[in-house]
Amino acid sequence: MTTHTEATTTVEYAPERPARLEWAKHAPEVYKAMVRLETAARKGLDHTLYELVKIRASQINHCAFCVDMHTKDALAAGESVERIVQLSAWDESRHFYTAKEIAALELTEAVTVLTDGFVPDEVYDNAAKHFEEAELAQVIAAITVINAWNRFGVTCRMAPGHYEPGQYK
């Protein structure tokens, strides 16, 4: 249980839920393969854009562990609090982002939420206008990889709040 004391007031927070499974410990080869995939997916991508994509996909997937991790990494790399806070409502806050970042965020949402079973042509075409083909392939790879990490985090109920920036780099 976590408590927070301000002056004479103590606030008691809900207890942290324990992880269900330390999947990386029990499937170390899968974990190592995921790390290699992660390393390959980030090659050549702007670090800021990369973290924005990872945070946004993690928000959509409700992966609190990954939101915590990538928010801390983005802040440590110099990203503004304001842009991170607005990320959950980026579509209403477009003026905080570049056209290229917006295209990446649109693509992130389309790839992450495949409710229609496909990525809409207009979303893909907009991304293709802002990225060279090789870079677009890397953005798609980054989106795909964070979605895979999110599935591990959510399923195994990895607890947020303990990550230190750069811990897994």
Side-chain angles (χ1 to χ4, degrees):
M1 175 177 344
T2 304
T3 58
H4 180 71
T5 305
E6 282 185 31
T8 59
T9 307
T10 300
V11 177
E12 192 173 305
Y13 294 105
E16 183 176 301
R17 295 176 358 170
R20 288 179 174 150
L21 176 71
E22 292 181 53
W23 77 269
K25 175 181 168 186
H26 297 290
E29 292 306 313
V30 175
Y31 177 78
K32 290 175 193 172
M34 285 293 296
V35 170
R36 287 190 305 273
L37 187 59
E38 174 79 26
T39 300
R42 84 170 57 147
K43 286 203 187 296
L45 289 182
D46 173 75
H47 183 72
T48 298
L49 183 131
Y50 180 74
E51 291 298 341
L52 292 175
V53 162
K54 294 173 88 56
I55 294 166
R56 185 62 193 131
S58 299
Q59 289 172 335
I60 294 165
N61 289 323
H62 304 280
C63 185
F65 180 85
C66 292
V67 169
D68 178 58
M69 174 191 293
H70 297 294
T71 297
K72 287 175 179 175
D73 282 345
L75 288 168
E79 183 55 82
S80 74
V81 170
E82 189 170 47
R83 282 172 33 104
I84 292 172
V85 168
Q86 290 301 318
L87 196 53
S88 65
W90 69 267
D91 201 27
E92 292 81 27
S93 308
R94 289 173 173 253
H95 59 285
F96 287 95
Y97 307 99
T98 67
K100 190 173 187 175
E101 290 168 341
I102 290 169
L105 293 170
E106 288 173 339
L107 188 61
T108 299
E109 294 207 3
V111 172
T112 301
V113 184
L114 292 172
T115 55
D116 293 330
F118 59 91
V119 172
D121 289 339
E122 60 273 8
V123 171
Y124 183 87
D125 292 344
N126 187 42
K129 286 191 312 193
H130 292 281
F131 296 94
E132 298 291 327
E133 285 186 344
E135 189 179 22
L136 181 56
Q138 291 300 123
V139 171
I140 294 167
I143 295 166
T144 302
V145 172
I146 190 58
N147 273 279
W149 283 119
N150 290 165
R151 269 73 181 159
F152 286 115
V154 170
T155 304
C156 297
R157 197 169 47 210
M158 296 172 69
H162 305 287
Y163 178 78
E164 295 294 327
Q167 181 176 335
Y168 295 125
K169 293 184 181 192

